[in-house]
Amino acid sequence: MPALLNKDRPLLVGPEVPETPYPFTIRGTVVKGFGRGSKELGIPTANLNEEALEQLYTGLDLGVYYGWAQVGPVKSTVYPMVMSLGWNPYYKNEKRSAEVHILHEFPEDFYGSELKVIVMGYIRPEQNYPSLDALITDIRTDMEVARQSLSRTAYKEAQLHSLFTV
């Protein structure tokens, strides 16, 4: 069983107030991914469609980001999220992906739904792992980093961004 958190990593990242290029927004449709998030990792992800990937800020580093996400219609609940952007080297993907893990348990899949994301900051670069347990430990750590980093006032306010309300 993997460790709960990676004790060698800080649990708070980024400045007190987001700096350029943050925040930035992404909208897309949830599409089927590789099917590993829920089944293999126990960490379900919402995969953004190709058009949404093209919207991403040019020059972004591959890696893990944090912010807020909303599934479905405007004024639905906004939840914290982590997003992996890259090739997922542990799985040797041949296609770049943006996989959003919303920090909330949903009762069912939401393929085909609109997903709106506001990215508030960067957690860490993409990397390979020696084992599945090491990968899961780092993902759990990313989730805690997102929770703690988003708890700061300037980051909390982004939940009210017009992307989610208009």
Side-chain angles (χ1 to χ4, degrees):
M1 173 150 210
L4 293 179
L5 296 176
N6 181 338
K7 300 205 184 310
D8 296 328
R9 291 186 38 208
L11 296 179
L12 187 67
V13 297
E16 279 303 304
V17 176
E19 297 174 355
T20 303
Y22 309 105
F24 63 87
T25 63
I26 310 162
R27 301 175 90 110
T29 303
V30 178
V31 296
K32 277 199 177 277
F34 300 103
R36 298 181 293 240
S38 292
K39 294 181 186 83
E40 202 169 317
L41 302 172
I43 302 166
T45 58
N47 293 270
L48 287 163
N49 61 332
E50 288 291 326
E51 294 78 13
L53 277 173
E54 292 169 11
Q55 292 177 43
L56 287 172
Y57 177 78
T58 307
L60 278 181
D61 290 328
L62 299 179
V64 180
Y65 292 82
Y66 65 98
W68 300 100
Q70 180 185 64
V71 177
V74 167
K75 298 189 180 171
S76 297
T77 304
V78 176
Y79 298 103
M81 68 85 194
V82 291
M83 178 180 73
S84 171
L85 174 65
W87 301 93
N88 299 320
Y90 180 80
Y91 289 105
K92 299 175 178 50
N93 287 1
E94 295 180 7
K95 183 176 167 187
R96 186 179 72 144
S97 65
E99 297 175 277
V100 177
H101 174 66
I102 301 170
L103 304 182
H104 176 77
E105 273 193 46
F106 291 88
E108 55 200 38
D109 291 335
F110 41 84
Y111 297 118
S113 296
E114 183 177 29
L115 176 62
K116 294 171 279 238
V117 171
I118 185 164
V119 178
M120 301 301 296
Y122 184 71
I123 297 177
R124 64 174 175 85
E126 179 176 58
Q127 62 190 59
N128 201 350
Y129 291 90
S131 69
L132 188 60
D133 283 352
L135 171 61
I136 292 169
T137 296
D138 248 12
I139 293 171
R140 288 180 179 160
T141 305
D142 296 335
M143 293 161 56
E144 187 58 28
V145 169
R147 283 185 193 97
Q148 290 197 28
S149 298
L150 290 169
S151 69
R152 296 172 289 186
T153 302
Y155 292 81
K156 275 194 226 180
E157 291 170 353
Q159 286 179 279
L160 305 174
H161 190 279
S162 62
L163 174 73
F164 304 130
T165 60
V166 178

